[in-house]
């Protein structure tokens, strides 16, 4: 159900606003909320859009009624939903301003200092959570990920998700969020939103697509929205052309799945090392056959003899094949570690391979780790 200015006036905080002019425009639709600070006239179209309910104090308009009229004309041209002005610079408006808003049906409100803009923002953002629209956008993401699309079609679908996307994109993914719909709505509809960014609920988390003419800066976005994203883990892709957005989405998802490998709250795909090739190949039939041919004999041996070979293999690979470090980590004599690694090579038949004994084991173990957190794998062995 769409939100009109008339309906929003029934909200607790918005009911405290005083309508000054533009009553005939109360059925304008509110699609998002924006905060006007010191943006120039030329910057309005890049920061605001149709359906914005704008909050401001008009600090830069003091004694500039002519400039105020120009701003109102520009906002009316952009078809904003309405404007709420805090009583700071203006305690009221000149007749010409009131007359303009009445003539054009542009709702103009004033509010007292004790009315918090943050509370108004929360009321609007909470209402604008839209399951139906999000499901539609999520279906576009699935199409991008699961179809072999041409560059032209990839761009077309991307622009259906957000017509304001620029040429270069970077994707972030947050999972296991307490209230993903609220976070999505805050990013898309809140006062700090950017028209070239789109967030949507995807796979029980929030997928965020940043775009720009050049490289979209993830750190700036994370800093701006730290108040709602702080404490959650984030997987970050590299930057790509819009027609390769599928690569960016996959990288963000792959990196998020490796969150147990780091104590940090964010990790970039470019920093995940060998998992850059492991994660994309996890569903490849040939790769799984190769890895399982090494992993299954180890797991079967442990099930039959309680040999703890898998824990040893994981520690050995994580420690870059260093017997001493593996011995120290697992609290076993180094000769015990040597025996177990030798047994692993024997039962997996790696020992008889012509090349890459350790490399074969390492690739298979990294695949295993990507499916099983290292801490969980090692905890049982360390406790023995």
């Amino acid at each position: 159900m769409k939100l009109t200015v008339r309906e929003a006036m029934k909200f607790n905080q918005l009911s405290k606003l005083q309508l000054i002019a533009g009553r005939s425009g109360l059925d304008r639709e509110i699609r998002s909320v924006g905060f006007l600070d010191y943006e120039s006239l030329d910057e309005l179209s890049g920061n605001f859009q149709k359906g914005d309910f704008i909050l401001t104090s008009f600090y830069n308009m003091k004694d500039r009624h002519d400039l105020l009229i120009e701003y109102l004309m520009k906002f009316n041209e952009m078809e904003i939903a309405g404007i709420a002005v805090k009583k700071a610079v203006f305690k009221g408006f000149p007749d010409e301003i009131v007359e303009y808003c009445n003539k054009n049906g542009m709702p103009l409100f004033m509010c007292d200092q004790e009315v918090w803009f943050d509370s108004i923002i929360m009321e609007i953002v909470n209402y604008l959570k839209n399951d139906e629209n999000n499901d539609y956008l999520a279906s576009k993401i699935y199409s991008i990920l699961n179809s072999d699309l041409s560059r032209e079609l990839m761009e077309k679908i991307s622009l259906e998700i957000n017509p304001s996307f620029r040429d270069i994109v970077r994707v972030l993914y947050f999972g296991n969020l307490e209230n993903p719909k609220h976070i999505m709505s805050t990013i898309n509809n809140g006062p700090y939103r950017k028209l070239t960014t789109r967030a949507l609920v995807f796979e029980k988390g929030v997928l965020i697509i940043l775009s720009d003419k050049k490289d979209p800066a993830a750190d700036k976005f994370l800093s701006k929205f730290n108040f709602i994203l702080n404490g959650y883990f984030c997987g970050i892709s590299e930057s790509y052309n819009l027609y390769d957005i599928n690569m960016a989405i996959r990288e963000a998802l792959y990196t998020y799945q490796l969150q147990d490998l780091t104590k940090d709250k964010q990790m970039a795909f470019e920093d995940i090392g060998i998992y850059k090739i492991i994660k994309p190949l996890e569903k490849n039939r040939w790769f799984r056959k190769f890895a399982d041919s090494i992993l299954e004999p180890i797991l079967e041996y442990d099930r039959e003899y309680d040999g703890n070979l898998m824990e040893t293999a994981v520690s050995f690979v994580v420690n870059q094949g260093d017997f001493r470090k593996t011995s120290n980590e697992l609290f076993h004599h180094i000769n015990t570690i040597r025996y177990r690694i030798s047994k692993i090579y024997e039962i997996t038949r790696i020992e008889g391979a012509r090349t890459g004994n350790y490399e074969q084991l390492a690739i298979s173990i990294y695949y295993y780790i990507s499916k099983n957190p290292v801490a969980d794998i090692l905890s049982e062995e360390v406790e023995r």
Side-chain angles (χ1 to χ4, degrees):
M1 179 179 177
K2 73 177 185 179
L3 175 64
T4 64
V5 177
R6 189 186 307 278
E7 288 299 315
M9 288 176 65
K10 299 176 184 178
F11 296 167
N12 181 45
Q13 291 299 315
L14 276 88
S15 66
K16 300 176 183 179
L17 303 183
Q18 178 187 359
L19 180 64
I20 303 299
R23 183 174 295 276
S24 63
L26 291 180
D27 290 321
R28 291 192 182 198
E29 181 182 0
I30 298 177
R31 298 182 179 180
S32 54
V33 58
F35 188 82
L36 175 66
D37 195 4
Y38 292 100
E39 288 84 359
S40 67
L41 275 170
D42 293 336
E43 294 174 322
L44 295 186
S45 59
N47 290 280
F48 301 96
Q49 60 186 340
K50 178 180 179 179
D52 274 351
F53 189 82
I54 295 174
L55 308 174
T56 184
S57 296
F58 279 140
Y59 280 116
N60 60 333
M61 305 290 175
K62 187 176 182 180
D63 301 323
R64 291 294 308 276
H65 294 170
D66 58 330
L67 185 59
L68 180 55
I69 281 287
E70 290 187 49
Y71 269 75
L72 294 177
M73 291 175 64
K74 182 64 175 179
F75 280 137
N76 189 55
E77 179 185 319
M78 295 170 63
E79 299 182 75
I80 65 159
I83 303 176
V85 183
K86 184 162 286 191
K87 292 180 180 178
V89 174
F90 292 94
K91 305 299 182 183
F93 288 102
D95 291 342
E96 59 183 312
I97 300 296
V98 174
E99 182 180 344
Y100 177 83
C101 290
N102 281 330
K103 180 180 179 180
N104 291 278
M106 186 165 67
L108 177 65
F109 297 87
M110 295 205 76
C111 62
D112 295 326
Q113 292 283 359
E114 59 266 22
V115 176
W116 291 90
F117 277 167
D118 285 349
S119 299
I120 293 175
I121 291 167
M122 290 295 293
E123 288 183 332
I124 294 176
V125 165
N126 284 335
Y127 187 92
L128 291 175
K129 298 171 185 175
N130 190 327
D131 290 339
E132 183 178 345
N133 184 56
N134 185 82
D135 290 344
Y136 170 75
L137 295 181
S139 71
K140 298 294 182 183
I141 298 296
Y142 284 117
S143 295
I144 287 173
L145 292 177
N146 299 321
S147 304
D148 185 14
L149 305 176
S150 65
R151 288 185 172 185
E152 292 75 15
L153 191 53
M154 191 75 74
E155 280 196 3
K156 180 177 182 295
I157 294 177
S158 299
L159 293 174
E160 289 174 358
I161 295 173
N162 183 1
S164 297
F165 276 156
R166 301 290 180 85
D167 295 336
I168 308 298
V169 295
R170 186 187 297 272
V171 176
L172 289 68
Y173 184 75
F174 290 84
N176 294 324
L177 304 176
E178 293 180 6
N179 195 341
K181 293 179 183 177
H182 173 70
I183 290 175
M184 173 197 70
S185 188
T186 300
I187 294 171
N188 289 338
N189 308 313
Y192 303 113
R193 88 278 187 267
K194 193 173 182 181
L195 302 186
T196 55
T197 293
R198 176 68 68 202
L200 62 150
V201 176
F202 185 76
E203 293 289 327
K204 300 180 180 180
V206 173
L207 189 76
I208 303 162
I209 305 172
L210 312 179
S211 74
D212 208 333
K213 292 180 179 178
K214 297 182 179 180
D215 187 3
D219 55 343
K220 290 183 179 179
F221 173 86
L222 292 171
S223 176
K224 182 182 292 186
F225 287 97
N226 183 62
F227 67 99
I228 54 169
L229 296 173
N230 184 40
Y232 296 111
F233 182 81
C234 172
I236 306 172
S237 78
E238 297 182 17
S239 58
Y240 283 89
N241 287 310
L242 184 59
Y243 54 72
D244 280 328
I245 191 173
N246 58 328
M247 294 288 289
I249 295 172
R250 289 188 184 280
E251 286 187 2
L253 294 174
Y254 290 150
T255 307
Y256 172 79
Q257 293 165 7
L258 295 170
Q259 61 179 292
D260 294 302
L261 301 183
T262 179
K263 295 180 180 179
D264 297 330
K265 285 301 180 182
Q266 56 185 265
M267 186 161 61
F269 184 81
E270 61 191 36
D271 296 327
I272 65 175
I274 195 171
Y275 293 105
K276 287 182 181 180
I277 189 64
I278 298 292
K279 294 301 293 183
L281 288 177
E282 282 182 347
K283 295 183 179 180
N284 180 277
R285 182 177 179 182
W286 290 101
F287 180 78
R288 291 203 313 269
K289 179 183 178 182
F290 163 77
D292 288 343
S293 70
I294 294 173
L295 297 174
E296 283 303 323
I298 299 174
L299 293 170
E300 180 60 32
Y301 185 93
D302 282 350
R303 284 192 291 266
E304 185 171 352
Y305 299 106
D306 195 22
N308 302 119
L309 294 188
M310 183 57 75
E311 291 88 349
T312 304
V314 169
S315 178
F316 185 66
V317 169
V318 168
N319 286 297
Q320 305 295 309
D322 189 307
F323 286 97
R324 180 65 63 186
K325 289 182 179 179
T326 305
S327 170
N328 292 338
E329 182 173 64
L330 298 182
F331 302 103
H332 285 301
H333 193 278
I334 191 170
N335 288 340
T336 301
I337 302 302
R338 292 185 187 280
Y339 168 78
R340 288 183 178 178
I341 297 302
S342 177
K343 175 60 70 174
I344 288 170
Y345 284 158
E346 176 188 334
I347 65 175
T348 58
R349 299 183 180 179
I350 292 178
E351 198 169 33
R354 293 183 178 180
T355 59
N357 293 1
Y358 172 76
E359 287 77 8
Q360 291 185 67
L361 176 64
I363 290 172
S364 301
I365 291 299
Y366 280 125
Y367 167 71
Y368 182 78
I369 291 173
S370 74
K371 296 292 190 180
N372 304 273
V374 177
D376 292 346
I377 298 169
L378 296 178
S379 60
E380 182 180 349
E381 170 68 11
V382 172
E383 289 172 1
R384 286 177 178 272

